[in-house]
Amino acid sequence: MRSSPPIQRLVAALRRLPGIGEKSATRLTFHLLSTPDAQVHELAEAILRLKQEIVLCAECFDLTDASPCAICRDPRRDASQICVVEEPADLAAIESSGGHGGRYHVLGGALSPIDGIGPDELRIADLERRVARGDVREVILATNPTAEGDATAHYLADRLRRSGVRLTRIAYGMPLGGDLEYADPVTVGRSLANRREME
Ligand SMILES: [Zn+2]
């Protein structure tokens, strides 16, 4: 039996989400059909408002509902320590480890010449500006332990060396090629605590 167009349309839209195949998309669609109207509206509205109300923090470039974000506004956070991550999900992973009391800087990815991502595609100049303001003492390079993440950390260390700030790299408690986003909080906390000076 062929599904009607509205069903096909939602199945096709859900299938574009990560981790959702044809089977899950179909199951979710039929689940929504039997869900009360009010709940379906709430879901649809939450999805729409996500893109309308989330902005980038002008300071750290994390996703937030108000710029500067709660972390950048918090006077208890140590402004002399900036932890540099690739993506907002990595920042979230470090926050849930509870191992960092300073601020963050979200690069927006890692250097990857094959994909056309060079230094100008990342928020590196913004990081330099923050460091140049003078209240930063340490930059923790917490890019992922992948080839791209490592290359990015070394590139940043070279660019920031002149500034005289302490440059550290998170330790490899995590499996090589892993992603902070998917590591457990204890492992993330340990790799932060065991960070080493960049040579
Ligand atoms: Zn911020």
Side-chain angles (χ1 to χ4, degrees):
M1 189 191 84
R2 268 189 76 75
S3 320
S4 61
I7 290 175
Q8 287 174 22
R9 189 171 159 220
L10 183 56
V11 170
L14 288 169
R15 278 195 63 185
R16 284 184 221 122
L17 298 173
I20 307 275
E22 173 88 39
K23 241 175 146 173
S24 307
T26 307
R27 193 159 38 89
L28 285 168
T29 299
F30 282 98
H31 174 78
L32 287 168
L33 270 174
S34 62
T35 299
D37 278 10
Q39 276 180 42
V40 176
H41 276 279
E42 198 183 309
L43 175 65
E45 179 152 323
I47 291 172
L48 287 173
R49 287 176 67 163
L50 182 69
K51 289 302 288 262
Q52 287 162 2
E53 295 178 8
I54 298 290
V55 294
L56 287 181
C57 173
E59 188 73 8
C60 72
F61 300 97
D62 189 17
L63 299 169
T64 174
D65 55 1
S67 175
C69 71
I71 293 175
C72 289
R73 283 198 313 263
D74 188 345
R76 288 163 303 182
R77 305 288 301 221
D78 182 358
S80 74
Q81 236 185 12
I82 294 184
C83 181
V84 179
V85 295
E86 293 179 21
E87 302 288 353
D90 303 318
L91 186 159
I94 292 177
E95 273 301 280
S96 48
S97 81
H100 178 58
R103 304 244 168 110
Y104 291 94
H105 190 86
V106 181
L107 288 173
L111 294 174
S112 178
I114 301 172
D115 303 312
I117 301 173
D120 294 341
E121 275 67 47
L122 303 176
R123 298 180 196 108
I124 293 174
D126 300 288
L127 176 63
E128 279 182 321
R129 268 193 291 278
R130 291 181 72 185
V131 170
R133 268 189 252 149
D135 44 0
V136 179
R137 282 187 295 109
E138 179 182 2
V139 173
I140 303 167
L141 299 162
T143 48
N144 287 320
T146 56
E148 291 83 7
D150 266 343
T152 307
H154 283 283
Y155 179 83
L156 288 174
D158 283 344
R159 264 181 74 162
L160 294 172
R161 199 156 314 252
R162 278 176 298 146
S163 67
V165 292
R166 184 181 175 207
L167 296 163
T168 54
R169 176 86 172 108
I170 51 166
Y172 293 137
M174 301 191 292
L176 206 65
D179 199 315
L180 275 176
E181 182 187 343
Y182 303 114
D184 68 278
V186 175
T187 306
V188 173
R190 199 178 300 138
S191 84
L192 263 173
N194 295 332
R195 64 187 185 275
R196 275 172 266 171
E197 310 296 324
M198 287 288 285
E199 294 307 320

